[in-house]
Amino acid sequence: MAAVFTCCLGCCGDGGPGHAPLKEMPTVHLDTHHMGTDVVIVKSGRRICGTGACLANAPLHQNKSYFEFKIQSTGVWGIGVATQKVNLNQVPLGRDSHSLVLRHDGSIYHNNEEKNRLPANSLPQEGDVVGLTYDHVELNLYLNGKNMHCPASGIRGTVFPVVYVDDSAIIDCQFSDFYHTPPEGFEKILFEQQIF
C-alpha cells in the first residue's frame, strides 16, 4: 500500500519530472488586439464603451454557436458577426461584406443592404438581453429569450462575434453563463481545441 501511495506522490503529487500540468481552458472575451482605436474594453473583456467596434477572441468554428449581449446603456450600437477584415473604426458596421449585424434601430445589415428587421414593438431597450445564434449560414436573434423570427445570412469566411458602440452606448458581452438558455442544439463558443 505504501508503494502505491509513494507512486502517486512521485508521479503526480509534486509536479516532479514527467508531470504535465493541466492547462486552463481559455475563455472567450472581447479581443483588445482586434478593436477600434477609440474603443474601451473593461470588466475582464466583457464590456465595451467608447466609439468603434471589437471582435471576440474566438472564431465561430463549431456548427451551432450561441452568445448574448446586454444593453447597459442605449445609444448607437450593433451586434453580430464579422471577419477579421472588417474596419473596426467605422461604425455602423454592416456597410460591407465583412460584417452582418443587428443595429440599434432593429435593422440587420450586411454589405450595405438591409437583410431583415426586428418587429417594431421588439426594439432592444436598456437592460434587455439579445441572444444570437449562428450556424455558418444564418444569424438568428432572441430578445430576452424569445425568438424574433428574423433570420439573416450572406456573410462568408471565418467569422467572430462583433459588437460596436457610439453615442454613449455600453454593451456587456456574455459568452458563457448565459442569462437565457440557448436554443436546442446551440451552445457557447468553443475554441478549436475544445471541439476535437
Side-chain angles (χ1 to χ4, degrees):
M1 182 67 156
V4 171
F5 184 69
T6 303
C7 177
C8 278
L9 283 177
C11 295
C12 58
D14 66 356
H19 178 263
L22 291 175
K23 287 177 70 176
E24 190 173 313
M25 295 308 283
T27 59
V28 180
H29 56 270
L30 294 175
D31 188 351
T32 55
H33 298 292
H34 292 96
M35 67 181 199
T37 55
D38 294 325
V39 167
V40 178
I41 303 297
V42 294
K43 289 199 154 207
S44 302
R46 289 188 43 236
R47 176 171 286 178
I48 182 173
C49 47
T51 298
C54 187
L55 296 175
N57 66 332
L60 303 180
H61 283 304
Q62 73 216 60
N63 289 336
K64 293 184 173 187
S65 304
Y66 178 79
F67 45 101
E68 295 176 334
F69 297 96
K70 184 172 185 180
I71 315 302
Q72 294 293 357
S73 180
T74 57
V76 174
W77 56 265
I79 54 178
V81 293
T83 70
Q84 286 187 325
K85 293 180 181 179
V86 69
N87 182 346
L88 299 171
N89 289 305
Q90 183 181 24
V91 297
L93 297 184
R95 295 180 185 182
D96 59 25
S97 63
H98 304 298
S99 59
L100 173 62
V101 295
L102 167 67
R103 294 178 176 174
H104 69 280
D105 65 0
S107 60
I108 304 167
Y109 265 81
H110 170 67
N111 210 14
N112 214 29
E113 178 184 337
E114 186 173 311
K115 294 295 197 172
N116 211 331
R117 178 172 283 278
L118 290 176
N121 62 348
S122 298
L123 295 181
Q125 304 296 316
E126 195 169 294
D128 284 343
V129 174
V130 181
L132 288 84
T133 59
Y134 185 70
D135 63 5
H136 293 281
V137 176
E138 235 174 40
L139 181 75
N140 281 285
L141 304 165
Y142 297 77
L143 182 59
N144 298 318
K146 181 182 176 197
N147 190 341
M148 292 290 95
H149 300 287
C150 57
S153 59
I155 195 165
R156 302 276 185 253
T158 300
V159 298
F160 297 74
V162 68
V163 57
Y164 71 80
V165 291
D166 196 7
D167 196 26
S168 301
I170 300 172
I171 306 289
D172 282 357
C173 307
Q174 202 68 29
F175 298 112
S176 62
D177 303 322
F178 301 118
Y179 291 99
H180 301 281
T181 304
E184 188 174 335
F186 289 86
E187 61 183 337
K188 70 179 183 177
I189 299 165
L190 301 174
F191 281 87
E192 196 168 17
Q193 67 265 28
Q194 292 175 305
I195 295 173
F196 301 110

